[in-house]
Amino acid sequence: MINTYEDALAFIHGRGKFKKIPTLKRMQRFMDLLEDPPQTKIRPIHVAGTNGKGSTVAFLRSLFEQQNLTVGTFTSPFLIKFNERISVNGIPITDNEVTELARKVKPIVDQLDQELPEGGPPTEFEIVTAMMFIYFASHPVDVVIVEVGIGGLYDSTNVLTPALSIITTIGYDHMQILGNTLTEIATQKAGIIKPGGFR
């Protein structure tokens, strides 16, 4: 039962951190179980890379704000408070909004826990990503800048269709997940590139 902000954080942070199997199938199933797939309702810019993701998100937000646009951001990790991960024009969502979003996703997480025991239940990052999609689908902004968690190809954010994909510098990171060579790591990062482009 999620009654308070503290309950919401305990639910989120009590989940596992990593996927047992690198796949997007679980996140796609997560989205399918929502009433109306929220990731299709936003206009996202997707940012991956080893270094510079956070700076790139901040630069882009500033540029768009100078054009009088409303800008949503999804970033990790947070510096002071969890709410920073989902922000509008640099202002984090409220404790009440975090609590309500956690309430919305919990029944689906409970269902997936039963459906997918072998592949592992939804992770903390998958849950926070789903909360972000739900928030921006119901609180429309002009653009949402979405920072990848790890890699790109199998990152839970990669269920979206970006208006623009950005890849910053690539180096050796998370090699136990992404691969031992720059080519393997770059291939994972390049997984966010999709046809279409700005629209």
Side-chain angles (χ1 to χ4, degrees), residues 34-171:
L34 296 170
E35 290 181 11
D36 193 7
Q39 76 276 19
T40 65
K41 307 299 179 187
I42 66 174
R43 191 184 196 203
I45 292 176
H46 212 180
V47 182
T50 303
N51 297 305
K53 294 195 302 284
S55 297
T56 299
V57 171
F59 294 152
L60 287 172
R61 176 171 69 82
S62 180
L63 287 170
F64 284 126
E65 286 178 3
Q66 290 299 312
Q67 300 301 312
N68 296 316
L69 297 177
T70 304
V71 186
T73 53
F74 179 61
T75 57
S76 60
F78 60 91
L79 296 178
I80 298 171
K81 190 171 182 178
F82 172 84
N83 309 37
E84 298 167 22
R85 299 187 70 167
I86 304 171
S87 300
V88 177
N89 285 358
I91 300 173
I93 63 174
T94 66
D95 292 0
N96 287 340
E97 287 170 326
V98 170
T99 305
E100 184 58 30
L101 289 167
R103 281 196 197 111
K104 286 181 179 178
V105 301
K106 187 176 187 306
I108 297 169
V109 172
D110 291 343
Q111 180 177 339
L112 289 172
D113 283 348
Q114 298 301 313
E115 277 187 18
L116 307 169
E118 293 182 5
T123 66
E124 176 179 337
F125 191 71
E126 287 171 331
I127 290 168
V128 179
T129 300
M131 290 168 60
M132 175 270 295
F133 284 138
I134 293 168
Y135 181 82
F136 287 121
S138 58
H139 298 78
V141 294
D142 294 307
V143 63
V144 182
I145 309 171
V146 177
E147 181 182 335
V148 166
I150 294 176
L153 181 61
Y154 297 118
D155 189 76
S156 60
T157 61
N158 204 29
V159 294
L160 57 75
T161 300
L164 182 66
S165 299
I166 297 174
I167 300 174
T168 65
T169 56
I170 295 173

